[in-house]
Amino acid sequence: MRHDHLISAKQLSRDDIETVLDRAAAIADDPPTREAVLGLLFFEPSTRTKMSFDASMKRLGGSTVDMGSVETSSVKKGETLADTVRVVEGYADALVLRHPSEGAAKMASEFVDVPLINAGDGAGQHPTQTLLDLYTIRENAGLDDLTVGIMGDLKYGRTVHSLADALTNFAARQHFISPESLRLPRSVRYDLHEAGAQVREHEDLEAILPDLDVLYVTRIQRERFPDENEYREVAGQYRIDGDTLAAAPDDLVVMHPLPRVDEIAPGVDATDRAKYFEQAHNGVPVRMALLDLLLENAGDGGESA
Amino acid sequence: MSDEQELRVSKIRDGTVIDHVPGGQALKVLSILGIDGSGGETVSVAMNVPSDELGRKDIVKVEGRELSQAEVDVVSLIAPAATINIVREYDVVEKNRVVRPDRVTGVLTCPNANCITAGSEPVESAFDVLEDGVRCAYCDTILREGIAEHI
Ligand SMILES: [Zn+2]
């Protein structure tokens, strides 16, 4: 992979994606070694994504240094992100950044020479989630001739934005299912249009469900709504359970970036369609593969086996 | 162009005349160019001059300074029909249209309050110029209407 940093799914070609997924698939049999140090900078709480990166770097034979929570760091004292990354760059061979502002990873990457990975920037992008999503789709449905339904909070859902961008590389048919107030933002619709993607937007799942190969469910958050009642009413319409799925194809793949609250009823978990735990586990081999490729490209951080 | 208007445009001795600015946008043009009078240039502005093409147009004259094409291209964002006249010894020696640049930096502020460029980071705003708007190079937000309000 020719990239110095991974900031957005938009920068990834089909070739880039397949390179990462192929390496991830081979990792269990032939794990590479990278004795590198990965800097973890999480300006928002996200224990899960942080643990996944931590585990990935350690399984490669490397180690991690963690900025800790924002409350206990220099950020609390008013340090800029640009300063923080320039300091931590000296302690690490690569950086992972989660930040509440859109564009944070892009800006941070301009201040450092080590590879920087965007682990979520506000409502912007979350490209490593997309790589593990694609890995899961490839394992379960294949990436060719694919029809995907993406449902829930499409406006603020960074995992949705990244996934939609990446799927344009595979000419997937994309259906977006959400309440009007949470539809895809203009910038993402613009990119999909520019990429010539086959896109349709819906307010309910029912009509399109029988056509789907993959249903990607995301959480609708309470804070997106002015009052509790409105939230309950809207969120209730985008919840799936056994009854909802009765009309779905037998081989439908149900995914979710997790954590879920109650968008997917627990009754679905035991069915063959439920792939969200497998999806979460795929984070480790995919992030191992990505770190291996970026560090290889950066020309340091140890030898690849 | 009538004789009277020709006179208005070429009256300065040396400098730059920006003509065919949409009526009422002259001060925005100066703002885009970073000209606020502190540089000591003699600046004159004619606003809402009758124009065949634009109905009403503004004219901006900056004396003693020849603005480069790259400097004035940013003006195209709010004045796509603007012409740039370079004047020497009362003669227009060069006359060019503004060309839309691929990117503008440090001129616009991002309309997304949650954009990293909106905070205290040491970074200039940067916008890619689209066919019908501009787009923040950091957060991807697209700005179509009201570009002038974000200068
Ligand atoms: Zn922005």
Side-chain angles (χ1 to χ4, degrees):
Chain A
M1 208 169 59
R2 67 209 143 70
H3 301 289
D4 296 331
H5 309 286
L6 178 57
I7 306 301
S8 165
K10 279 193 284 180
Q11 77 189 78
L12 297 172
S13 66
R14 180 173 183 142
D15 231 37
D16 291 332
I17 292 165
E18 285 174 342
T19 301
V20 179
L21 303 194
D22 289 348
R23 191 165 293 203
I27 243 161
D29 299 329
D30 185 15
T33 304
R34 293 259 163 221
E35 288 167 7
V37 178
L38 180 64
L40 303 171
L41 299 108
F42 281 69
F43 289 77
E44 265 184 349
S46 171
T47 321
R48 204 74 64 72
T49 305
K50 193 157 91 175
M51 283 177 76
S52 176
F53 272 106
D54 192 41
S56 303
M57 193 68 245
K58 287 172 177 166
R59 279 176 185 264
L60 285 170
S63 57
T64 58
V65 287
D66 186 346
M67 179 184 84
S69 72
V70 170
E71 283 66 35
T72 59
S73 72
S74 311
V75 180
K76 184 90 183 193
K77 299 178 187 126
E79 186 177 58
T80 62
L81 175 61
D83 278 4
T84 305
V85 293
R86 279 180 288 184
V87 172
V88 180
E89 169 183 39
Y91 311 153
D93 302 303
L95 301 177
V96 177
L97 176 69
R98 160 71 61 95
H99 197 278
S101 296
E102 287 94 57
K106 158 101 173 148
M107 189 213 72
S109 73
E110 293 172 353
F111 286 90
V112 297
D113 291 323
V114 300
L116 185 140
I117 299 170
N118 183 6
D121 61 327
Q125 289 264 327
H126 192 0
T128 65
Q129 175 73 42
T130 294
L131 289 167
L132 70 91
D133 292 343
L134 294 172
Y135 187 87
T136 310
I137 294 173
R138 190 168 80 166
E139 296 280 293
N140 289 287
L143 285 165
D144 296 312
D145 193 27
L146 189 67
T147 304
V148 180
I150 303 180
M151 183 167 85
D153 181 350
L154 311 182
K155 185 174 183 184
Y156 299 98
R158 55 191 165 205
T159 63
V160 171
H161 307 159
S162 288
L163 181 59
D165 283 329
L167 283 170
T168 62
N169 286 305
F170 300 91
R173 291 172 290 277
Q174 301 194 56
H175 295 272
F176 295 94
I177 307 117
S178 74
E180 168 69 27
S181 62
L182 293 177
R183 67 190 284 237
L184 281 178
R186 175 151 85 173
S187 63
V188 177
R189 281 183 278 131
Y190 176 88
D191 286 324
L192 296 178
H193 180 77
E194 288 288 293
Q198 308 173 64
V199 170
R200 285 184 59 198
E201 295 180 275
H202 313 263
E203 284 198 46
D204 65 42
L205 175 65
E206 206 182 343
I208 192 63
L209 182 60
D211 296 341
L212 300 181
D213 299 310
V214 174
L215 175 60
Y216 192 98
V217 184
T218 66
R219 183 153 59 104
I220 294 180
Q221 296 188 45
R222 164 69 188 90
E223 59 263 36
R224 305 300 178 209
F225 292 88
D227 75 272
E228 186 73 22
N229 288 337
E230 197 186 334
Y231 160 69
R232 281 175 186 283
E233 194 189 318
V234 171
Q237 293 165 23
Y238 297 91
R239 218 162 263 160
I240 62 162
D241 56 21
D243 289 346
T244 325
L245 295 179
D250 289 339
D251 55 359
L252 177 75
V253 174
V254 178
M255 294 171 63
H256 191 299
L258 303 182
R260 70 174 151 174
V261 180
D262 54 4
E263 312 74 71
I264 302 176
V268 179
D269 298 357
T271 69
D272 288 342
R273 288 164 170 159
K275 301 296 181 193
Y276 25 92
F277 293 109
E278 176 185 326
Q279 181 186 356
H281 298 162
N282 286 336
V284 173
V286 170
R287 290 186 171 112
M288 285 172 75
L290 177 71
L291 287 165
D292 187 35
L293 286 161
L294 286 172
L295 287 163
E296 178 181 86
N297 190 39
D300 57 18
E303 299 278 298
S304 189
Chain B
M1 202 184 279
S2 72
D3 287 349
E4 190 196 352
Q5 277 167 279
E6 183 71 44
L7 200 65
R8 273 200 195 100
V9 173
S10 55
K11 227 172 171 177
I12 65 171
R13 178 172 175 170
D14 297 294
T16 308
V17 175
I18 304 169
D19 197 2
H20 300 104
V21 173
Q25 298 292 315
L27 298 178
K28 290 283 183 191
V29 166
L30 285 168
S31 171
I32 283 187
L33 295 171
I35 296 172
D36 58 5
S38 63
E41 309 96 334
T42 301
V43 178
S44 40
V45 167
M47 292 179 91
N48 295 320
V49 178
S51 155
D52 293 343
E53 296 148 65
L54 299 170
R56 298 267 163 188
K57 68 170 182 177
D58 289 2
I59 304 166
V60 174
K61 296 177 244 180
V62 183
E63 291 187 47
R65 185 166 156 196
E66 293 186 7
L67 295 166
S68 71
Q69 186 74 26
E71 273 179 290
V72 292
D73 279 348
V74 199
V75 170
S76 67
L77 295 179
I78 58 164
T83 53
I84 310 300
N85 304 274
I86 303 294
V87 181
R88 288 179 200 149
E89 288 296 326
Y90 302 106
D91 282 335
V92 173
V93 295
E94 235 183 88
K95 190 182 183 97
N96 292 307
R97 284 194 164 272
V98 289
V99 181
R100 283 173 84 75
D102 292 334
R103 175 172 277 208
V104 292
T105 50
V107 174
L108 302 168
T109 53
C110 187
N112 173 13
N114 200 43
C115 177
I116 193 72
T117 64
S120 52
E121 297 295 332
V123 66
E124 274 196 319
S125 76
F127 284 79
D128 295 319
V129 179
L130 311 175
E131 228 166 88
D132 58 347
V134 295
R135 180 174 213 188
C136 177
Y138 289 91
C139 76
D140 278 347
T141 297
I142 293 174
L143 178 59
R144 289 209 177 98
E145 308 82 21
I147 289 176
E149 274 80 74
H150 293 277
I151 291 164

